[in-house]
C-alpha cells in the first residue's frame, strides 16, 4: 500500500484509510460503541466508548500491523518480519503475520508480563526476550533486521501503520455521525494521527483531543518546539503510551490536525480504569483508560457528543490488582488509620464492632504490642478499611473518635 499524501492535504489520505478499511474487512472487528450513562451525566452531553479493548488481540494494533505487512513485496515477505514490543504491538504483528503467512520474530523485554509473552507465541510469533527496557529491546530487533534482512515493523512511525489505525476514525463516524469531540490516548502517535487524518478529511468541525500520561508526555514539549523532543526517563503505569519520543511521521499530522493534547495523572488513570471496570463492565489497560481519565479530570471541557477511544485491554492481572487498589484509594474508598488502645481483653473485638456499626470493611489489620513508643498498657492497631467514598471516610473517623478512640495517623 503506497502512502501518497502529506499532512497539508488530508483529503488525499482519506483514500488510503478507506483502502485500509477494505483490506481489514473480515480481519479486524468493527468494535462496538457503548454509551456511558455515568460519563454522560458528568460531562453533560452524550459520551460513548469506542471499545478497541475488544478488538482481536485486545487492542487496535492489529489494524496497522496487518496493513503494513500486507503492503510488503513477495521478496520482503519471504524474508520475514521483526518487531519490538512489550505487549500490544507484539500481539498485533504476530497475528497479522500468521494470517498473511509471513514468518515473524518479536523481541520483548526480559520482564514482559508472562500472559503477553504467551499470547504473542500463541499467535504464531517466535519470541526472543532481550533487554530490561524497551529501548534495549528495540535496538536488538533493529540489529536482527539488519543482520537477517527481515523487515522491521515499527509500532507507529510508518504511513501504512497510520492508515490502518485511521480506520478507527472511519468507524466512529459511521457509528456516531453526530460526534463533536473524539478523545484518544497518545504514545508515539500512530492511532491519534490516523484518526485525525480520516476524521478531519470528512468532518473538520470535529474536535480531536489527545491524552498523555503526565510522566510520559513527550508531545506538549515537542509541539511547543515544532519538532519531536525526547524525554530522558518516561515513567507511567500506562505502558501502552509510555513512549519517550513522538514518531516523526505521526508528529507531522498531530501537529496540524489534533486540536489539543492533555495530560493526566497516575491517580486519574487509576480512577478511570476502575470506572471502566465497575460502571462499563469493561477490562481496560491504563493506556486505554487515558481518554476516560481526561473526561474525569475536566468533564466540562468537552463538547458533546463525545467518543472516548478505549485503545486496549491487555492488562497484566498483577498490575490490574495494584492499579485497582490505587484507583480505589484515589477515589477515596480506602482509609488507613492508626489507633492506640488500652491493652485489655476484648479491646480489639470492641473496635471491630464499632467499625461494623460504621459500615466500614476491614481489609487488613496489624496489632502491635511490642514497640518502644508504646506505654506499658498500650497497643497500637493499623487498619486498612474499604469505604464508600471520601464522605464515608470522614464519617468512619468521626464515629471512632466519638467512641473515644485516639486516631494518631
Amino acid at each position: 500500500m503506497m502512502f501518497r499524501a502529506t499532512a497539508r492535504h488530508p483529503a488525499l489520505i482519506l483514500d488510503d484509510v478507506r483502502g485500509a478499511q477494505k483490506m481489514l474487512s473480515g480481519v479486524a472487528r468493527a468494535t462496538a460503541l457503548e454509551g456511558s450513562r455515568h460519563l454522560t451525566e458528568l460531562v453533560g452531553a452524550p459520551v460513548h466508548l469506542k471499545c478497541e479493548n475488544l478488538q482481536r488481540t485486545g487492542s487496535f494494533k492489529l489494524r496497522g500491523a496487518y496493513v503494513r505487512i500486507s503492503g510488503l513485496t513477495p521478496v520482503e515477505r519471504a524474508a520475514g518480519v521483526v518487531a519490538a514490543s512489550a505487549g500490544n504491538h507484539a500481539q498485533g504483528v504476530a497475528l497479522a503475520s500468521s494470517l498473511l503467512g509471513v514468518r515473524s520474530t518479536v523481541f520483548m523485554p526480559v520482564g514482559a508480563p508472562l500472559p503477553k509473552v504467551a499470547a504473542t507465541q500463541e499467535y504464531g510469533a517466535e519470541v526472543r526476550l532481550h533487554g530490561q527496557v524497551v529501548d534495549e529491546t528495540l535496538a536488538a530487533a533493529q540489529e536482527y533486521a539488519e543482520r537477517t534482512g527481515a523487515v522491521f515493523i515499527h509500532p507507529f512511525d510508518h504511513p501504512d501503520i497510520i492508515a490502518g489505525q485511521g480506520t478507527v476514525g472511519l468507524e466512529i463516524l459511521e457509528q456516531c455521525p453526530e460526534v463533536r469531540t473524539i478523545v484518544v490516548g497518545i504514545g508515539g502517535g500512530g492511532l491519534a494521527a490516523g484518526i485525525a487524518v480520516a476524521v478531519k478529511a470528512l468532518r473538520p468541525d470535529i474536535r480531536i483531543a489527545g491524552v498523555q500520561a503526565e510522566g510520559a508526555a513527550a508531545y506538549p514539549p515537542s509541539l511547543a518546539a515544532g519538532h519531536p523532543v525526547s524525554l530522558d526517563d518516561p515513567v507511567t503505569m500506562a505502558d501502552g503510551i509510555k513512549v519517550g519520543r513522538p514518531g516523526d511521521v505521526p508528529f507531522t499530522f498531530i501537529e496540524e490536525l489534533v486540536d489539543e493534547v492533555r495530560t493526566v495523572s497516575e491517580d486519574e488513570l487509576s480512577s478511570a480504569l476502575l470506572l471502566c471496570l465497575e460502571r462499563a463492565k469493561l477490562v481496560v489497560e491504563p493506556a486505554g483508560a487515558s481518554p476516560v481519565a481526561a473526561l474525569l479530570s475536566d468533564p466540562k471541557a468537552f463538547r458533546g457528543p463525545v467518543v472516548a477511544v478505549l485503545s486496549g485491554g491487555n492488562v497484566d492481572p498483577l498490575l490490574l490488582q495494584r492499579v485497582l487498589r490505587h484507583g480505589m484509594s484515589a477515589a477515596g474508598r480506602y482509609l488507613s488509620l492508626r489507633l492506640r488502645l488500652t491493652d485489655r481483653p476484648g479491646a480489639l473485638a470492641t473496635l471491630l464492632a464499632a467499625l461494623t456499626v460504621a459500615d466500614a470493611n476491614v481489609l487488613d489489620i496489624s496489632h502491635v504490642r511490642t514497640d518502644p513508643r508504646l506505654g506499658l498498657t498500650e497497643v497500637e492497631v493499623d487498619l486498612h478499611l474499604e469505604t464508600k467514598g471520601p464522605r464515608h471516610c470522614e464519617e468512619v473517623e468521626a464515629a471512632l473518635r466519638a467512641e473515644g478512640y485516639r486516631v494518631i495517623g
Side-chain angles (χ1 to χ4, degrees), residues 86-310:
N88 289 347
H89 181 58
Q91 294 173 66
V93 168
L95 179 56
S97 299
S98 294
L99 293 173
L100 291 165
V102 177
R103 184 178 71 258
S104 63
T105 303
V106 176
F107 284 76
M108 304 182 76
V110 172
L114 292 179
K116 293 185 178 182
V117 173
T120 303
Q121 291 172 325
E122 289 169 8
Y123 286 128
E126 177 190 347
V127 173
R128 299 192 180 192
L129 300 178
H130 184 93
Q132 299 299 320
V133 296
V134 174
D135 286 344
E136 296 175 358
T137 309
L138 182 63
Q142 291 172 326
E143 186 278 330
Y144 177 90
E146 293 172 2
R147 177 167 47 85
T148 65
V151 179
F152 179 68
I153 306 298
H154 199 283
F156 50 81
D157 208 13
H158 192 281
D160 288 352
I161 294 287
I162 294 172
Q165 319 306 29
T167 59
V168 175
L170 293 182
E171 287 179 18
I172 290 173
L173 294 181
E174 293 165 2
Q175 294 168 319
C176 186
E178 68 277 14
V179 61
R180 303 288 293 280
T181 305
I182 297 173
V183 191
V184 55
I186 298 181
L191 177 61
I195 290 175
V197 296
V199 169
K200 290 290 189 176
L202 293 169
R203 289 279 307 280
D205 59 300
I206 293 175
R207 187 171 183 82
I208 298 178
V211 185
Q212 292 205 288
E214 285 180 355
Y219 264 91
S222 297
L223 292 170
H227 58 82
V229 173
S230 298
L231 299 179
D232 290 334
D233 186 24
V235 177
T236 177
M237 72 175 79
D239 58 354
I241 53 175
K242 184 181 176 182
V243 177
R245 183 185 183 279
D248 291 323
V249 179
F251 177 82
T252 305
F253 295 101
I254 288 173
E255 182 181 36
E256 181 154 342
L257 300 175
V258 171
D259 296 283
E260 65 171 324
V261 176
R262 292 172 168 258
T263 62
V264 292
S265 68
E266 298 298 283
D267 282 351
E268 288 163 346
L269 286 168
S270 297
S271 296
L273 190 150
L274 182 63
L275 184 144
C276 289
L277 187 61
E278 288 192 325
R279 298 299 184 97
K281 314 306 177 191
L282 292 169
V283 176
V284 182
E285 62 190 90
S290 59
V292 175
L295 295 177
L296 292 177
S297 68
D298 192 6
K300 301 306 179 184
F302 299 91
R303 183 179 61 176
V306 177
V307 173
V309 181
L310 307 182

Side-chain angles (χ1 to χ4, degrees), residues 64-75:
Y66 189 89
V67 173
R68 172 77 174 99
I69 298 170
S70 293
L72 299 180
T73 67
V75 172

Side-chain angles (χ1 to χ4, degrees), residues 328-367:
M328 292 183 73
S329 179
R333 290 170 55 186
Y334 280 150
L335 177 61
S336 296
L337 294 173
R338 179 173 297 167
L339 311 176
R340 284 189 183 172
L341 316 177
T342 301
D343 190 9
R344 64 174 184 270
L348 186 58
T350 302
L351 170 61
L352 294 175
L355 292 170
T356 299
V357 172
D359 204 20
N361 184 33
V362 178
L363 298 174
D364 190 32
I365 187 167
S366 176
H367 194 224

Side-chain angles (χ1 to χ4, degrees), residues 52-75:
E52 281 297 288
N53 59 310
L54 302 181
Q55 183 57 262
R56 295 179 70 178
T57 75
S59 87
F60 70 96
K61 290 289 190 177
L62 171 65
R63 297 173 184 263
Y66 189 89
V67 173
R68 172 77 174 99
I69 298 170
S70 293
L72 299 180
T73 67
V75 172

